[in-house]
Amino acid sequence: GGIGARETFLVDDQGRVIVRSSELDLRARAKQLDEVHATPPFAHPELVPALAQPSGYLELPGALLTWQRLHAGPWSLVVESAPL
């Protein structure tokens, strides 16, 4: 595998994906204030309890996850990379 980020995600404190880098061009912008979009669960559920920490990393089979909690809102920036 290559070195570097495969994909980045904005994930809430319950492990739901708010937005992901691979869908930035595909996601339609809301036209109405009450429109919502799907927030599917993050593909690696073991991340959810780890998000209690403000930052860190998880080494998983096939992926290295790193995250940093944002100052605003209940969100963390999560980066999925190739394992070391």
Side-chain angles (χ1 to χ4, degrees):
I3 297 175
R6 291 182 185 157
E7 188 159 15
T8 56
F9 303 84
L10 184 63
V11 177
D12 72 7
D13 59 352
Q14 296 179 15
R16 295 178 297 211
V17 176
I18 306 303
V19 69
R20 61 191 300 163
S21 58
S22 65
E23 293 182 351
L24 287 177
D25 293 334
L26 301 176
R27 191 176 299 274
R29 295 190 185 265
K31 293 172 182 56
Q32 301 292 325
L33 290 176
D34 60 351
E35 279 187 59
V36 296
H37 64 269
T39 54
F42 190 67
H44 302 285
E46 50 272 74
L47 176 70
V48 177
L51 290 175
Q53 299 298 316
S55 63
Y57 70 94
L58 282 176
E59 293 183 71
L60 303 173
L64 173 65
L65 304 176
T66 57
W67 72 93
Q68 176 67 51
R69 187 174 309 136
L70 302 178
H71 292 287
W75 305 301
S76 295
L77 179 66
V78 179
V79 177
E80 181 179 329
S81 303
L84 298 175

